[in-house]
Amino acid sequence: MRVLVIGSGAREHALLLALAKDPQVSALSIAPGNAGTARVAEQHTVDITSSDEVVALARHVQADLVVIGPEVPLVLGVADAVRAAGIVCFGPSKDAARIEGSKAFAKEVMAAAGVRTASSEIVDTPAHLDAALDRFGPPAGDPAWVVKDDHLAAGKGVVVTPNRDAARAHAASLLESGHPVLLESFLDGPEVSLFCVVDGQTVVPLLAAQDFKRVGDGDTGPNTGGMGAYAPLPWLPDDIYRQVVTDMVKPVAAELVRRGCPFSGLLYVGLAITAKGPAVVEFNCRFGDPETQAVLALLDSPLGQLLYAAGTGQLADFGELRWRNGAAVTVVLAAENYPGRPRVGDVVTGADAEGVLHAGTARRDDGAVVSSGGRVLSVVGTGADLAEARAQAYGILSSIKLPGSHFRSDIGLRAAQGEISVS
C-alpha cells in the first residue's frame, strides 16, 4: 500500500517511522514534511489546508491511504475531499472534527452522551464577561480560572490562573479577536491522554500517555503545544482505563453517529483523574503531539493496516493491538523564546541521531539542519521502565546542540519515582 501523510511535525515523523515498519506499506510520501522526514519519505510541497491540492497530490503519488496529521485541515474538511475522490483517508469529516474545532459543540455532545466533564459557560460578548468570571474561579471555590479559546489555538489558547486580572485579560483578548470564550470549572488530579482509533461505533484504544503542557519544570510558565510525554502510565489502574473507554469514548462515538456525523479516525480524549473519578478536559480529532511519539514507539501491530482498516470501515475485524514491553519517554527541544515568537534559522547539530524526530526543522542548501519553528525536535527514549527510557532520552538530548534552546528536565520524573497515584 502507498501511503501519503499530511503534516510537518514530529507527530508526522513518528507516524512515518511506524508506517515504514508495516510490511504492507510499499511507499511513503509526506507533505510538506521537514528535514527529518525527508530521510523516510518522498517530500512534496502543497498547501495542506487546500482540499484541491491535497487531492491532486494523493492522485499524483497514487496513494492507497491518506493520513492527515494536523487538526486544521481536518476542521476545514480536507478528509471529506479525499474520500470524495475515492481515496481511503484516515481522518474525520469536517462535521465530526467539530469535536475539536468547537469546544461548545464538544460540550453539547458530551452532555448528550452523559459524559462527565467540567461545568462551563460560553461568553461571546465583553458585556457578559465579568459576571461570568464571578461564576468561576476562586470566588466560586475553584483554585483557578480556566479560560479557553472556543476555536483552534494550537494548544496555546488556554490560560489556567488564580489571578483574576490575568484570566480577564486573556478572555478580553479572545473576544476582541472575535473568538467566543469558554469558561470552565477547574478539574484537579493528574491528566491523561488516551488515543482511540474509531470507526463509527467501533473503538480501539491505544496506550494511555501523559503530556506536559507548561513550558517549565514543575509545570511552571505558560502553556505550550506540549513539552514532552511518556507512556504507559504505571499509576493508572486498569479499571479506570476501561471506564474511560466504556463510559466516555464509546458514548461520544455513538452520539456522533446519532447526530449523523460518525467519527472515522483518531479520537483523542484528554482527562483529569479527579478525586471523584475521571472527567474529560477535551476531545481532539487527531493524534496528539508529543504523545504520539511515545505511544507509537511501543506499538508492535502494523500501523498502516490499522489505519486502513479504520478508513475502510473494517476496524471491528482488525483484532487486538500488540505492544512492546517497557516504556517510552519523549522530550521536546524548543527554540529560544518559545512559546513566544521563536528564534529560527540556527544550525542544529546532532539532529540525525536515532531516536530524534524532527518538527520545526529545514535543511539548508549546504546540507545543514536549521531550526524553523518553536518546537524543533522530539527526542524519544525507550527502556524496560520509565527510569531507563528517561535516561536514554536525556542521553540523546545531551548530544544535540541548538543555540538558545530549552527543554524540560522532568518529563516522566514523578511517575518514574512513584510519586503519582489515584484513589
Side-chain angles (χ1 to χ4, degrees):
M1 128 180 45
R2 303 175 65 86
V3 183
L4 168 62
V5 174
I6 300 298
S8 61
R11 164 184 53 210
E12 286 74 33
H13 197 168
L15 286 165
L16 287 173
L17 292 175
L19 287 164
K21 297 175 183 176
D22 188 328
Q24 288 194 15
V25 173
S26 57
L28 286 169
S29 299
I30 186 167
N34 57 48
T37 59
R39 303 174 67 189
V40 188
E42 184 178 283
Q43 308 250 118
H44 300 270
T45 301
V46 299
D47 177 0
I48 66 171
T49 66
S50 167
S51 295
D52 290 343
E53 290 192 29
V54 172
V55 169
L57 176 60
R59 287 173 170 156
H60 173 71
V61 301
Q62 299 179 310
D64 300 298
L65 171 66
V66 175
V67 180
I68 300 178
E71 62 273 22
V72 173
L74 293 169
V75 170
L76 292 176
V78 173
D80 301 83
V82 172
R83 277 190 280 267
I87 303 168
V88 178
C89 186
F90 183 81
S93 67
K94 179 178 181 179
D95 280 349
R98 287 181 293 163
I99 198 74
E100 178 171 2
S102 169
K103 293 178 178 62
F105 175 77
K107 289 290 187 181
E108 290 176 12
V109 171
M110 284 187 272
V115 171
R116 182 170 178 260
T117 185
S119 60
S120 63
E121 181 176 337
I122 291 286
V123 180
D124 56 10
T125 175
H128 299 155
L129 178 56
D130 286 309
L133 285 169
D134 289 342
R135 290 189 283 273
F136 292 85
D142 287 338
W145 280 273
V146 180
V147 183
K148 296 183 177 181
D149 189 338
D150 184 50
H151 297 142
L152 295 178
K156 292 176 280 187
V158 180
V159 164
V160 180
T161 177
N163 186 309
R164 181 190 170 95
D165 290 341
R168 192 185 190 287
H170 182 59
S173 68
L174 294 174
L175 291 169
E176 288 172 7
S177 301
H179 289 196
V181 171
L182 182 77
L183 298 180
E184 283 189 340
S185 59
F186 181 84
L187 294 174
D188 65 324
E191 293 194 3
V192 173
S193 298
L194 180 61
F195 300 165
C196 295
V197 178
V198 175
D199 165 21
Q201 296 198 53
T202 302
V203 174
V204 175
L206 308 187
L207 292 179
Q210 185 177 64
D211 78 333
F212 295 75
K213 287 294 187 187
R214 300 279 187 163
V215 71
D217 283 6
D219 292 328
T220 58
N223 272 349
T224 70
M227 293 299 293
Y230 67 93
L233 308 183
W235 49 267
L236 183 69
D238 287 343
D239 60 334
I240 293 181
Y241 174 89
R242 290 191 295 269
Q243 178 189 356
V244 170
V245 176
T246 301
D247 296 346
M248 295 179 166
V249 183
K250 288 184 176 180
V252 164
E255 176 61 20
L256 291 173
V257 170
R258 190 190 69 78
R259 289 172 177 244
C261 52
F263 195 97
S264 176
L266 197 290
L267 188 58
Y268 166 134
V269 55
L271 306 151
I273 311 299
T274 75
K276 296 180 180 179
V280 173
V281 175
E282 63 180 354
F283 275 98
N284 291 335
C285 64
R286 40 68 193 184
F287 280 102
D289 183 345
E291 301 99 317
T292 299
Q293 293 88 293
V295 171
L296 292 187
L298 299 173
L299 181 66
D300 205 29
S301 294
L303 181 64
Q305 294 171 56
L306 172 65
L307 305 188
Y308 190 84
T312 54
Q314 301 175 71
L315 184 60
D317 300 325
F318 186 80
E320 190 170 337
L321 298 184
R322 301 188 307 274
W323 298 94
R324 300 183 185 94
N325 293 326
V329 171
T330 301
V331 183
V332 170
L333 181 72
E336 183 177 344
N337 199 45
Y338 179 79
R341 184 173 183 174
R343 175 174 143 181
V344 298
D346 290 307
V347 173
V348 188
T349 58
D352 291 331
E354 186 175 354
V356 179
L357 306 182
H358 289 232
T361 65
R363 197 172 291 274
R364 286 192 323 210
D365 291 343
D366 64 0
V369 175
V370 297
S371 59
S372 63
R375 292 188 295 171
V376 180
L377 302 171
S378 284
V379 178
V380 181
T382 58
D385 55 24
L386 280 175
E388 190 174 306
R390 273 177 45 81
Q392 185 182 97
Y394 283 105
I396 297 169
L397 192 58
S398 68
S399 67
I400 299 171
K401 306 300 179 186
L402 171 62
S405 62
H406 60 97
F407 58 89
R408 284 186 59 159
S409 66
D410 62 347
I411 304 301
L413 178 60
R414 293 187 62 229
Q417 295 177 338
E419 296 176 3
I420 303 177
S421 62
V422 294
S423 57

